[in-house]
Amino acid sequence: MSAERKIAVVTGAGSGIGRGVSLALAGAGWSVVLAGRKADRLAETAALAPDADLIRVPTDVARPEDVDALFETVRERYGRIDFLFNNAGTFGPGGVPLEDLPYSAWRKVVDTNLTGSFLCAQAAFRLMKDQDPQGGRIINNGSISAHAPRPESVAYTATKHALTGLTKSLSLDGRPYRIACGQIDIGNAATDMTQRMQRGVPQANGELAVEPVMDAADVATTVLHMAELPLEANIQFATVLATTMPFIGRG
């Protein structure tokens, strides 16, 4: 491994945007630690870039002990971290009225999307603060739902709004240590999670409508650009969405 190679951790790396970002980073010469709950999906991601420096660490970001083990692996293998992409997330059950949402479903979304992002950011922050040279970058995967909700998405929307607060706090608290933090808000990238867009999803006016999607590779290109900026520059918030999706004017 080249001494110049930068080190990235990508959560939710077994599919969708996480897989795309991992491969984009690897293609640009980064060493990438693939984190995700399903070992077989991580293996599929790694197989797509057989010549890259990719290691797989099965991780449930909602479990503090898993997150500790993930970042201890990073410390032992590389001695530092340059970039964390906080991407792991879940939407939760769709089509459930707010008053019927089970507490267990609420907790699963909060524990994964918000608490998991905090735990990973906290662990990365510790490494970035103590390493030499000091500093690094964290990018949180927000969502269009960090701005405007979809019908019957209270848990997902609440966590994505909360991620914006996490992003701002990380930016402020990381400032003395050259730790930059930004957020990418993504709308309708073509992944397993958005397959339902092709069948029609509920709109704020009560109608069911098919929505356009964009190639997830365009998201990966944007994340790579954000990641490779010098630490003296930061994209605080970026919004990348399918051009004609109902966001501006939603509802």
Side-chain angles (χ1 to χ4, degrees), residues 116-193:
S117 293
F118 162 73
L119 291 172
C120 289
Q122 183 183 53
F125 197 100
R126 291 184 182 123
L127 270 176
M128 291 172 177
K129 183 177 177 181
D130 291 343
Q131 64 198 15
D132 184 20
Q134 191 178 63
R137 189 181 309 275
I138 299 169
I139 296 176
N140 294 322
N141 183 346
S143 170
I144 294 300
S145 290
H147 302 269
R150 289 188 176 278
E152 299 177 337
S153 66
V154 62
Y156 185 78
T157 299
T159 58
K160 293 304 185 179
H161 275 67
L163 273 176
T164 300
L166 178 65
T167 298
K168 292 178 179 179
S169 287
L170 290 170
S171 294
L172 181 59
D173 293 345
R175 192 178 293 168
Y177 311 108
R178 300 185 74 243
I179 300 173
C181 185
Q183 179 170 313
I184 184 165
D185 295 325
I186 302 162
N188 289 14
T191 67
D192 292 346
M193 186 180 289

Side-chain angles (χ1 to χ4, degrees), residues 217-242:
D218 295 321
V219 178
T221 299
T222 306
V223 174
L224 179 63
H225 171 62
M226 295 169 74
E228 293 199 318
L229 287 172
L231 291 178
E232 291 73 25
N234 188 42
I235 296 176
Q236 188 69 66
F237 293 99
T239 303
V240 183
L241 71 165

Side-chain angles (χ1 to χ4, degrees), residues 94-131:
V96 178
L98 184 150
E99 66 272 20
D100 295 330
L101 184 71
Y103 175 71
S104 59
W106 167 269
R107 278 298 305 268
K108 182 178 180 180
V109 176
V110 172
D111 289 350
T112 302
N113 296 5
L114 180 57
T115 303
S117 293
F118 162 73
L119 291 172
C120 289
Q122 183 183 53
F125 197 100
R126 291 184 182 123
L127 270 176
M128 291 172 177
K129 183 177 177 181
D130 291 343
Q131 64 198 15

